[in-house]
Amino acid sequence: MKVLVINCGSSSLKYQLIDMETEKSLVSGLVERIGIDGSILTQKVEGKDKYIIKQDMKDHKEAIKLVLEALLNKEHAVIESMDEITAVGHRVVHGGEKYSDSVLIDDEVIELIKDCIPLAPLHNPPNIIGIEACKELMPNTPMAAVFDTAFHQTMPKVAYICPLPYELYEKYGIRRYGFHGTSHKYVSQKVAEVMNRDIKDLKIITCHLGNGCSLAAVKGGKSIDTSMGFTPLAGVMMGTRSGNIDPSVIAFLVEQQGYKLEEVNEMLNKKSGLLGISGVSSDFRDVQMAAEQGNERAKLALDIFNYKIRAQIASYAGIMGGVDVIVFTAGIGENSSFARKEVLKGLEFLGFNIDEEKNEVRGEVQEISTKDSKVKVYEIPTNEELVIARDTVKLLNK
Ligand code: AMP
């Protein structure tokens, strides 16, 4: 059985075809600049040259058409006919309060995803476009929606209700939802498996540190708190996002300094975080390089980044009444021994020490705490696509 996993962004589309017998990715690809001049599709198959198609694609439907052509292309083929694609799994960012798990897509589900657009105006529309394009091009292939918010629907009210007038929750659904759920779910389950422990007995803190960053407190396999909130702007500092700040800053900039609300919104989402403080880049590697060359603001950006994450880890150990394992994942979490080491500095009182040599390993499942550590620390490469494909198969077999 082969499942096509689709992740549509506003002008991009990532895809993977996964063989569910082996759970191996047969092909992965990226379409960029959809609807913009210079659209490009890049497809990778293990052991073969990259397959690149440069051809303008005016919308996601054209992009998906080209993806299907690329999958069937004579020279680069991984499948011989479309019938080999048993199902399609779509990443959908926001499922609101309605979805605490993945669902098979029908017209009602599409309507409900549309209802969540006000909660995720940048993310849900391209997700829906991707679903509708696939529906048109592959009308007989079942599809599933896997939500970024779903894993966090187990959070208790004490974690998700904002200290605002309660009517705002009742009227508008203003509450904390949390994101990156597919990744937090995958790495928490994976670490339990690697440790050969029942996840029900574990208190896990998962740190998804990439361009977007979020942490989750996973107790007994369930997310009981996470750092992102009503939107993915909340929580710890990120590449270009501020994370939590005093909300009065917004009123101050608008009322006292003449900024437009859209400008402040753009600033908080796209010009803050590592980029905003360093003035160098939103990319962790660039900022680290600048810091090593003596750039003081780059150094400050890294210090604040690490400090916010350290504080969040300590807080989650507090609310769970301890921690058994801390997991690092995503671009920075999987690859940067420097970030892991700096984030964890001062937290050794929780009951771990870092094995410096093991911490140098990059992008692999790896315990990085010393053997005698009571609390374990791991790096686990995330695999959101595999969770999407697994959930899709689970729904098909129901
Ligand atoms: P993601 O959003 O998960 O793709 O992560 C992107 C982030 O990971 C960027 O800030 C990159 O600089 C960072 N990253 C990727 N590889 C490394 C590496 N080897 N060392 C440090 N940071 C890295």
Side-chain angles (χ1 to χ4, degrees), residues 24-295:
K24 282 240 156 69
S25 170
L26 300 171
V27 49
S28 65
L30 171 67
V31 189
E32 293 165 286
R33 301 182 66 84
I34 301 169
I36 313 172
D37 282 352
S39 317
I40 177 167
L41 177 151
T42 313
Q43 177 169 288
K44 281 189 248 167
V45 179
E46 216 178 84
K48 286 192 185 174
D49 288 341
K50 269 188 195 161
Y51 179 36
I52 295 174
I53 308 175
K54 288 183 181 167
Q55 178 182 318
D56 282 346
M57 295 166 231
K58 74 173 191 308
D59 54 27
H60 285 74
K61 190 171 151 198
E62 282 192 9
I64 291 174
K65 229 187 220 168
L66 220 59
V67 167
L68 296 174
E69 274 172 39
L71 291 173
L72 290 163
N73 178 282
K74 287 269 177 303
E75 271 173 57
H76 302 268
V78 279
I79 51 172
E80 280 172 15
S81 120
M82 289 257 290
D83 299 341
E84 288 182 51
I85 303 174
T86 313
V88 182
H90 290 269
R91 175 190 182 209
V92 180
V93 167
H94 218 305
E97 285 195 318
K98 172 78 189 166
Y99 295 113
S100 54
D101 210 343
S102 307
V103 279
L104 280 178
I105 296 173
D106 58 17
D107 290 344
E108 194 190 331
V109 171
I110 294 178
E111 282 314 306
L112 280 158
I113 299 172
K114 284 184 182 165
D115 290 346
C116 292
I117 288 177
L119 297 173
L122 298 179
H123 295 97
N124 273 27
N127 297 160
I128 294 165
I129 294 169
I131 290 170
E132 287 183 332
C134 283
K135 198 174 141 199
E136 228 179 295
L137 295 166
M138 329 163 69
N140 300 318
T141 310
M143 300 195 287
V146 179
F147 302 96
D148 260 28
T149 47
F151 183 60
H152 302 302
Q153 279 295 306
T154 46
M155 282 195 286
K157 268 195 165 170
V158 69
Y160 75 70
I161 294 291
C162 305
L164 291 166
Y166 197 75
E167 309 88 80
L168 297 189
Y169 166 58
E170 293 174 312
K171 266 198 204 159
Y172 310 122
I174 294 178
R175 52 160 283 179
R176 303 181 61 252
Y177 289 96
F179 299 86
H180 290 145
T182 316
S183 177
H184 290 294
K185 179 176 169 182
Y186 175 78
V187 297
S188 55
Q189 290 177 350
K190 184 77 187 176
V191 82
E193 184 191 313
V194 172
M195 290 169 75
N196 204 12
R197 294 279 305 273
D198 188 339
I199 196 165
K200 292 210 167 66
D201 302 328
L202 290 175
K203 294 170 186 156
I204 308 172
I205 298 173
T206 47
C207 311
H208 178 110
L209 310 179
N211 273 320
C213 299
S214 72
L215 282 79
V218 182
K219 194 173 183 183
K222 294 202 162 105
S223 170
I224 63 155
D225 205 351
T226 189
S227 58
M228 282 179 171
F230 179 58
T231 71
L233 178 58
V236 295
M237 170 179 152
M238 312 178 208
T240 61
R241 282 171 257 173
S242 62
N244 292 346
I245 55 153
D246 182 339
S248 306
V249 169
I250 300 165
F252 173 80
L253 288 174
V254 173
E255 288 171 0
Q256 312 284 333
Q257 306 299 335
Y259 280 76
K260 292 199 185 88
L261 192 55
E262 308 90 82
E263 286 171 344
V264 180
N265 206 19
E266 165 101 359
M267 183 197 291
L268 296 175
N269 277 288
K270 305 242 169 85
K271 297 180 182 163
S272 299
L274 287 172
L275 172 66
I277 298 171
S278 71
V280 172
S281 169
S282 63
D283 190 287
F284 195 87
R285 284 165 295 193
D286 296 344
V287 181
Q288 191 182 343
M289 209 183 292
E292 282 163 6
Q293 286 163 0
N295 183 320

Side-chain angles (χ1 to χ4, degrees), residues 305-320:
F305 181 87
N306 296 328
Y307 175 87
K308 300 283 181 194
I309 298 162
R310 190 182 307 134
Q312 190 68 82
I313 293 174
S315 146
Y316 285 162
I319 61 161
M320 289 198 290

